[in-house]
Amino acid sequence: MPDYGKLREYVSHRLVFEYDTGARIVGYLAGCKPSEGDVQVANLSHVVLLDSAGEVLESHDKLSICPNVLTGFHLQEGPSGRDIR
């Protein structure tokens, strides 16, 4: 399990968050929430979202992300309430 608390050591540094699909989020770490313990939200500035080929999909002045490992997702509303795991 990653040590999410260590992210606080990189505030004001440019970071790359890489995903299993090859997509990446690149930006400057502006802050972390909560203020103690495992980081659950990373606030980024000057952010670029890249696809697996390195092409820019989006760019943002500010973006908050959850830097944690995704364990699943499910449909909350819609025609089917089944888990998609």
Side-chain angles (χ1 to χ4, degrees):
M1 176 76 75
D3 182 1
Y4 296 111
K6 284 189 72 76
L7 278 172
R8 286 188 191 82
E9 296 174 16
Y10 301 112
V11 170
S12 77
H13 289 75
R14 188 171 170 89
L15 299 179
V16 178
F17 295 88
E18 298 178 344
Y19 295 87
D20 61 344
T21 60
R24 294 173 301 188
I25 298 175
V26 182
Y28 290 91
L29 185 60
C32 299
K33 295 177 186 173
S35 59
E36 295 181 6
D38 286 340
V39 173
Q40 296 175 28
V41 175
N43 302 118
L44 305 174
S45 63
H46 307 288
V47 185
V48 178
L49 284 73
L50 304 163
D51 66 12
S52 60
E55 299 293 324
V56 175
L57 298 173
E58 299 180 12
S59 58
H60 301 275
D61 291 334
K62 295 180 183 180
L63 183 70
S64 295
I65 65 167
C66 178
N68 311 116
V69 174
L70 181 67
T71 60
F73 60 92
H74 66 274
L75 184 65
Q76 187 173 13
E77 292 183 15
S80 170
R82 296 184 318 227
D83 280 351
I84 309 170
R85 297 180 204 205

